Amino acid sequence: IALAHPPSVISFANIGGRFEGEGPLGGYFDETNDDSFFGEKTWEKAESAMQKKVLQRALDQAGLKPKDLDYIFAGDLLNQCIGSSFGLRDFGIPFYGLYGACSTMGESLSLAAMMIDGGFAHRLVKARLCHPAHPRPAEDLHIRAFRFQDHFRRNGQAGGHIGIVTAVLFNHADS
């Protein structure tokens, strides 16, 4: 796809959990949190809190309000995009739930770019959440397998908390 008027990134924010903060990219996160549940009682609520927090941070950095955005493209690893939809609903921005699992980042970037380039939106946000805290074998999720497989084996754990959420605000290039 060749975009006639490629959008520009006007702001971005990312939040990670404790493991991300300790990893090789730890210094690149806007915020990390030692609490696996980000102050919530369940990991589902933690996902919603993370989405809300990262979008607000990206908006603040751009000096924008929720009403300045046309759409949100977001997804997570929960059924029906529960973490994203509940975390972002109070912003009042039309929401497109994406179900690409690990490909949601690329999917949302391309859809956002095409919406803006096609003139269907002026500003929008793409958000991606990866917070697989449910108990699954480390090898099931590529993030765990890549960075924490040995950690989980050494500690006899089948799961653990890994959390990354990213929001990127796009603007029409002519704006």
Side-chain angles (χ1 to χ4, degrees), residues 5-54:
H5 307 285
S8 60
V9 173
I10 55 174
S11 179
F12 64 89
N14 56 65
I15 296 173
R18 179 173 56 90
F19 287 138
E20 285 70 35
E22 293 171 356
L25 301 177
Y28 294 100
F29 285 97
D30 293 312
E31 177 182 335
T32 58
N33 195 321
D34 286 338
D35 176 7
S36 295
F37 291 93
F38 284 76
E40 300 295 332
K41 293 187 190 263
T42 67
W43 56 269
E44 293 92 347
K45 289 181 179 181
E47 291 194 2
S48 294
M50 291 169 70
Q51 285 283 36
K52 181 181 254 183
K53 190 173 230 185
V54 79

Side-chain angles (χ1 to χ4, degrees), residues 1 10 18 33-34 55 63 65 67 75 90 102 106 114 117 126 132 135 146 168 171:
I1 295 174
I10 55 174
R18 179 173 56 90
N33 195 321
D34 286 338
L55 176 55
K65 304 223 176 286
K67 66 180 178 59
D90 291 341
C102 295
M114 289 186 285
D117 186 62
K126 63 105 335 266
F146 176 68
V168 180
N171 206 31

Side-chain angles (χ1 to χ4, degrees), residues 127-143:
R128 191 222 186 235
L129 173 64
C130 181
H131 182 255
H134 41 62
R136 289 174 61 181
E139 293 77 14
D140 283 355
L141 297 165
H142 78 281
I143 292 173

Side-chain angles (χ1 to χ4, degrees), residues 23 142 157 164:
H142 78 281
Q157 298 171 326
I164 302 171

